[in-house]
Amino acid sequence: MRHINSIGWNSWLKRHKDSILLFDSIAAATEIAPMLNGQWDGCNGVIMATCDEVAVDTASKLLESAWCYQGASKAVLGRAATDEILRRYAMGERNFINANLRCAVLASAKLSEINLSYAKLSWADLSQANLSKADLTAADLSEANLNGADLNKANLMRANLTKADLQLADMRGANLSSANLSEVNLTDADLTGANLSLADLRGANFNLCNLSGANLTGAKLIESDLAFARQ
């Protein structure tokens, strides 16, 4: 597998005592942790007091593994196979930060509480998928199919949902603060109690959308677009 290139993290490391490295499997993390005198976090992460990238690269190559820093939003990732994601999720993994799943077909997949923050999911088919309580912080979901998806209490803060299909989606209690929902289809979606503060909602279709108790503080929207919403 290709190494995941990290960009601009040297300055970050200088400001943080510990580094959290994410590997592409639980098996790789458990084997690499003792090799690097790190602490395995019980999943696919390794906590390092200090990080020698050369040593990490060497260990990763020995195990044909890929890695990145936790929260490395600018990491370059190889495209992930959907069956591999589902297999690893079934084994208990939840952290798939930065995963490249553009155009992936995950319709009806059960992925509650998965961490797909910063993931690339543009044009992905997530219709009817269970993403309740998922972490999709800053994920790219532009033009994704989320028709009927369960996003109950999901974290979509700063996510890009431009032109996404969210018809009939369950987004009760979801955090969409600062998210881009321009031109999104929210027909019959349930946004009861959702946080839409500072979100970009310009051009969104709110036909029969339930906005009861939703927080729209500072949201960018065209008032007339709310005419057919349920509030």
Side-chain angles (χ1 to χ4, degrees):
M1 296 180 65
R2 293 183 301 170
H3 165 60
I4 305 176
N5 300 310
S6 58
I7 302 172
W9 279 89
N10 289 332
S11 60
W12 186 92
L13 287 172
K14 292 177 181 178
R15 299 194 303 271
H16 294 73
K17 182 179 178 181
D18 295 332
S19 299
I20 300 177
L21 313 182
L22 300 177
F23 294 86
D24 59 3
S25 70
I26 292 176
T30 56
E31 291 188 53
I32 286 176
M35 293 169 65
L36 300 175
N37 294 317
Q39 179 183 349
W40 178 47
D41 71 353
C43 193
N44 66 323
V46 175
I47 302 169
M48 305 284 295
T50 58
C51 180
D52 181 342
E53 291 191 359
V54 174
V56 177
D57 285 342
T58 301
S60 297
K61 288 177 181 177
L62 286 172
L63 295 175
E64 297 184 344
S65 177
W67 70 278
C68 69
Y69 291 106
Q70 178 170 287
S73 60
K74 295 183 179 179
V76 179
L77 300 174
R79 192 177 187 285
T82 54
D83 56 346
E84 179 69 6
I85 293 290
L86 294 172
R87 183 186 68 79
R88 286 161 55 185
Y89 181 90
M91 290 175 62
E93 281 192 60
R94 294 295 181 268
N95 291 321
F96 298 93
I97 298 170
N98 297 304
N100 185 348
L101 288 161
R102 289 188 177 96
C103 303
V105 178
L106 289 163
S108 300
K110 293 177 172 57
L111 298 168
S112 62
E113 299 186 41
I114 193 170
N115 187 343
L116 285 166
S117 53
Y118 300 99
K120 288 72 177 170
L121 288 154
S122 50
W123 299 289
D125 183 0
L126 292 157
S127 56
Q128 305 295 324
N130 184 351
L131 292 162
S132 58
K133 299 181 181 179
D135 187 349
L136 290 155
T137 302
D140 181 3
L141 287 151
S142 55
E143 301 191 56
N145 181 3
L146 290 152
N147 192 313
D150 183 353
L151 290 158
N152 193 328
K153 296 183 180 179
N155 187 358
L156 290 141
M157 185 177 181
R158 302 193 313 277
N160 180 10
L161 289 147
T162 305
K163 297 182 179 180
D165 182 1
L166 283 159
Q167 293 185 76
L168 298 168
D170 180 356
M171 305 177 78
R172 290 172 296 164
N175 182 5
L176 290 146
S177 176
S178 300
N180 187 346
L181 292 126
S182 57
E183 300 183 59
V184 71
N185 188 352
L186 289 165
T187 301
D188 279 314
D190 191 347
L191 283 155
T192 302
N195 182 4
L196 291 158
S197 60
L198 303 176
D200 188 347
L201 295 161
R202 290 173 292 186
N205 183 350
F206 290 100
N207 189 35
L208 298 178
C209 174
N210 192 342
L211 290 169
S212 301
N215 180 2
L216 292 164
T217 304
K220 299 176 183 177
L221 53 84
I222 301 170
E223 291 293 335
S224 59
D225 288 342
L226 297 177
F228 298 102
R230 289 179 284 160
Q231 299 185 58

PDB file of all heavy atoms in Angstrom, residues 176-192:
ATOM      1  N   LEU A 176     -24.751  20.662  12.381  1.00  0.00           N
ATOM      2  CA  LEU A 176     -24.404  21.114  11.036  1.00  0.00           C
ATOM      3  C   LEU A 176     -23.860  22.536  11.082  1.00  0.00           C
ATOM      4  O   LEU A 176     -23.906  23.265  10.093  1.00  0.00           O
ATOM      5  CB  LEU A 176     -25.623  21.042  10.128  1.00  0.00           C
ATOM      6  CG  LEU A 176     -26.089  19.616   9.783  1.00  0.00           C
ATOM      7  CD1 LEU A 176     -27.594  19.551   9.653  1.00  0.00           C
ATOM      8  CD2 LEU A 176     -25.425  19.134   8.503  1.00  0.00           C
ATOM      9  N   SER A 177     -23.313  22.897  12.217  1.00  0.00           N
ATOM     10  CA  SER A 177     -22.779  24.242  12.381  1.00  0.00           C
ATOM     11  C   SER A 177     -21.676  24.516  11.359  1.00  0.00           C
ATOM     12  O   SER A 177     -20.763  23.709  11.167  1.00  0.00           O
ATOM     13  CB  SER A 177     -22.212  24.400  13.798  1.00  0.00           C
ATOM     14  OG  SER A 177     -21.615  25.659  13.968  1.00  0.00           O
ATOM     15  N   SER A 178     -21.804  25.652  10.668  1.00  0.00           N
ATOM     16  CA  SER A 178     -20.812  26.090   9.669  1.00  0.00           C
ATOM     17  C   SER A 178     -20.704  25.152   8.467  1.00  0.00           C
ATOM     18  O   SER A 178     -19.751  25.235   7.702  1.00  0.00           O
ATOM     19  CB  SER A 178     -19.426  26.277  10.306  1.00  0.00           C
ATOM     20  OG  SER A 178     -19.481  27.249  11.333  1.00  0.00           O
ATOM     21  N   ALA A 179     -21.673  24.248   8.303  1.00  0.00           N
ATOM     22  CA  ALA A 179     -21.648  23.333   7.152  1.00  0.00           C
ATOM     23  C   ALA A 179     -22.131  24.048   5.899  1.00  0.00           C
ATOM     24  O   ALA A 179     -22.878  25.025   5.958  1.00  0.00           O
ATOM     25  CB  ALA A 179     -22.533  22.122   7.426  1.00  0.00           C
ATOM     26  N   ASN A 180     -21.693  23.555   4.749  1.00  0.00           N
ATOM     27  CA  ASN A 180     -22.136  24.100   3.463  1.00  0.00           C
ATOM     28  C   ASN A 180     -23.242  23.203   2.917  1.00  0.00           C
ATOM     29  O   ASN A 180     -22.991  22.092   2.485  1.00  0.00           O
ATOM     30  CB  ASN A 180     -20.968  24.154   2.477  1.00  0.00           C
ATOM     31  CG  ASN A 180     -21.336  24.878   1.184  1.00  0.00           C
ATOM     32  OD1 ASN A 180     -22.517  25.110   0.915  1.00  0.00           O
ATOM     33  ND2 ASN A 180     -20.341  25.231   0.392  1.00  0.00           N
ATOM     34  N   LEU A 181     -24.476  23.725   2.956  1.00  0.00           N
ATOM     35  CA  LEU A 181     -25.635  22.983   2.462  1.00  0.00           C
ATOM     36  C   LEU A 181     -26.275  23.715   1.288  1.00  0.00           C
ATOM     37  O   LEU A 181     -27.467  23.575   1.038  1.00  0.00           O
ATOM     38  CB  LEU A 181     -26.662  22.802   3.578  1.00  0.00           C
ATOM     39  CG  LEU A 181     -26.236  21.872   4.726  1.00  0.00           C
ATOM     40  CD1 LEU A 181     -26.352  22.558   6.060  1.00  0.00           C
ATOM     41  CD2 LEU A 181     -27.062  20.609   4.725  1.00  0.00           C
ATOM     42  N   SER A 182     -25.473  24.451   0.558  1.00  0.00           N
ATOM     43  CA  SER A 182     -26.020  25.191  -0.567  1.00  0.00           C
ATOM     44  C   SER A 182     -26.537  24.229  -1.642  1.00  0.00           C
ATOM     45  O   SER A 182     -25.901  23.231  -1.968  1.00  0.00           O
ATOM     46  CB  SER A 182     -24.958  26.124  -1.163  1.00  0.00           C
ATOM     47  OG  SER A 182     -23.810  25.409  -1.552  1.00  0.00           O
ATOM     48  N   GLU A 183     -27.746  24.519  -2.134  1.00  0.00           N
ATOM     49  CA  GLU A 183     -28.403  23.735  -3.181  1.00  0.00           C
ATOM     50  C   GLU A 183     -28.643  22.283  -2.795  1.00  0.00           C
ATOM     51  O   GLU A 183     -28.783  21.405  -3.655  1.00  0.00           O
ATOM     52  CB  GLU A 183     -27.612  23.820  -4.491  1.00  0.00           C
ATOM     53  CG  GLU A 183     -27.471  25.235  -5.030  1.00  0.00           C
ATOM     54  CD  GLU A 183     -26.763  25.287  -6.354  1.00  0.00           C
ATOM     55  OE1 GLU A 183     -27.252  24.667  -7.310  1.00  0.00           O
ATOM     56  OE2 GLU A 183     -25.700  25.930  -6.430  1.00  0.00           O
ATOM     57  N   VAL A 184     -28.697  22.000  -1.505  1.00  0.00           N
ATOM     58  CA  VAL A 184     -28.960  20.630  -1.059  1.00  0.00           C
ATOM     59  C   VAL A 184     -30.463  20.343  -1.106  1.00  0.00           C
ATOM     60  O   VAL A 184     -31.287  21.249  -0.962  1.00  0.00           O
ATOM     61  CB  VAL A 184     -28.418  20.432   0.383  1.00  0.00           C
ATOM     62  CG1 VAL A 184     -29.260  21.199   1.381  1.00  0.00           C
ATOM     63  CG2 VAL A 184     -28.349  18.970   0.758  1.00  0.00           C
ATOM     64  N   ASN A 185     -30.826  19.089  -1.318  1.00  0.00           N
ATOM     65  CA  ASN A 185     -32.233  18.693  -1.367  1.00  0.00           C
ATOM     66  C   ASN A 185     -32.632  18.129   0.002  1.00  0.00           C
ATOM     67  O   ASN A 185     -32.228  17.034   0.369  1.00  0.00           O
ATOM     68  CB  ASN A 185     -32.466  17.648  -2.458  1.00  0.00           C
ATOM     69  CG  ASN A 185     -33.943  17.349  -2.664  1.00  0.00           C
ATOM     70  OD1 ASN A 185     -34.787  17.800  -1.899  1.00  0.00           O
ATOM     71  ND2 ASN A 185     -34.263  16.598  -3.704  1.00  0.00           N
ATOM     72  N   LEU A 186     -33.443  18.914   0.742  1.00  0.00           N
ATOM     73  CA  LEU A 186     -33.880  18.512   2.077  1.00  0.00           C
ATOM     74  C   LEU A 186     -35.372  18.170   2.109  1.00  0.00           C
ATOM     75  O   LEU A 186     -36.013  18.232   3.153  1.00  0.00           O
ATOM     76  CB  LEU A 186     -33.587  19.638   3.067  1.00  0.00           C
ATOM     77  CG  LEU A 186     -32.109  19.884   3.399  1.00  0.00           C
ATOM     78  CD1 LEU A 186     -31.921  21.226   4.079  1.00  0.00           C
ATOM     79  CD2 LEU A 186     -31.556  18.762   4.265  1.00  0.00           C
ATOM     80  N   THR A 187     -35.920  17.785   0.965  1.00  0.00           N
ATOM     81  CA  THR A 187     -37.340  17.433   0.892  1.00  0.00           C
ATOM     82  C   THR A 187     -37.682  16.312   1.882  1.00  0.00           C
ATOM     83  O   THR A 187     -37.053  15.261   1.891  1.00  0.00           O
ATOM     84  CB  THR A 187     -37.710  16.968  -0.530  1.00  0.00           C
ATOM     85  OG1 THR A 187     -37.423  18.015  -1.453  1.00  0.00           O
ATOM     86  CG2 THR A 187     -39.191  16.621  -0.616  1.00  0.00           C
ATOM     87  N   ASP A 188     -38.654  16.590   2.762  1.00  0.00           N
ATOM     88  CA  ASP A 188     -39.121  15.612   3.750  1.00  0.00           C
ATOM     89  C   ASP A 188     -38.050  15.191   4.757  1.00  0.00           C
ATOM     90  O   ASP A 188     -38.229  14.211   5.486  1.00  0.00           O
ATOM     91  CB  ASP A 188     -39.676  14.358   3.067  1.00  0.00           C
ATOM     92  CG  ASP A 188     -41.100  14.554   2.590  1.00  0.00           C
ATOM     93  OD1 ASP A 188     -41.912  15.073   3.362  1.00  0.00           O
ATOM     94  OD2 ASP A 188     -41.389  14.183   1.434  1.00  0.00           O
ATOM     95  N   ALA A 189     -36.936  15.914   4.820  1.00  0.00           N
ATOM     96  CA  ALA A 189     -35.898  15.581   5.803  1.00  0.00           C
ATOM     97  C   ALA A 189     -36.344  16.046   7.189  1.00  0.00           C
ATOM     98  O   ALA A 189     -37.116  16.988   7.331  1.00  0.00           O
ATOM     99  CB  ALA A 189     -34.591  16.249   5.425  1.00  0.00           C
ATOM    100  N   ASP A 190     -35.854  15.374   8.221  1.00  0.00           N
ATOM    101  CA  ASP A 190     -36.202  15.724   9.599  1.00  0.00           C
ATOM    102  C   ASP A 190     -34.985  16.340  10.279  1.00  0.00           C
ATOM    103  O   ASP A 190     -34.012  15.656  10.592  1.00  0.00           O
ATOM    104  CB  ASP A 190     -36.658  14.484  10.365  1.00  0.00           C
ATOM    105  CG  ASP A 190     -37.283  14.839  11.712  1.00  0.00           C
ATOM    106  OD1 ASP A 190     -37.146  16.002  12.146  1.00  0.00           O
ATOM    107  OD2 ASP A 190     -37.914  13.953  12.323  1.00  0.00           O
ATOM    108  N   LEU A 191     -35.044  17.657  10.495  1.00  0.00           N
ATOM    109  CA  LEU A 191     -33.951  18.390  11.128  1.00  0.00           C
ATOM    110  C   LEU A 191     -34.378  18.900  12.499  1.00  0.00           C
ATOM    111  O   LEU A 191     -33.873  19.911  12.985  1.00  0.00           O
ATOM    112  CB  LEU A 191     -33.522  19.554  10.240  1.00  0.00           C
ATOM    113  CG  LEU A 191     -32.655  19.172   9.031  1.00  0.00           C
ATOM    114  CD1 LEU A 191     -32.772  20.196   7.918  1.00  0.00           C
ATOM    115  CD2 LEU A 191     -31.205  19.018   9.443  1.00  0.00           C
ATOM    116  N   THR A 192     -35.276  18.184  13.142  1.00  0.00           N
ATOM    117  CA  THR A 192     -35.753  18.582  14.466  1.00  0.00           C
ATOM    118  C   THR A 192     -34.578  18.725  15.435  1.00  0.00           C
ATOM    119  O   THR A 192     -33.794  17.797  15.617  1.00  0.00           O
ATOM    120  CB  THR A 192     -36.736  17.532  15.029  1.00  0.00           C
ATOM    121  OG1 THR A 192     -37.843  17.382  14.133  1.00  0.00           O
ATOM    122  CG2 THR A 192     -37.241  17.954  16.399  1.00  0.00           C
TER     123      THR A 192
END
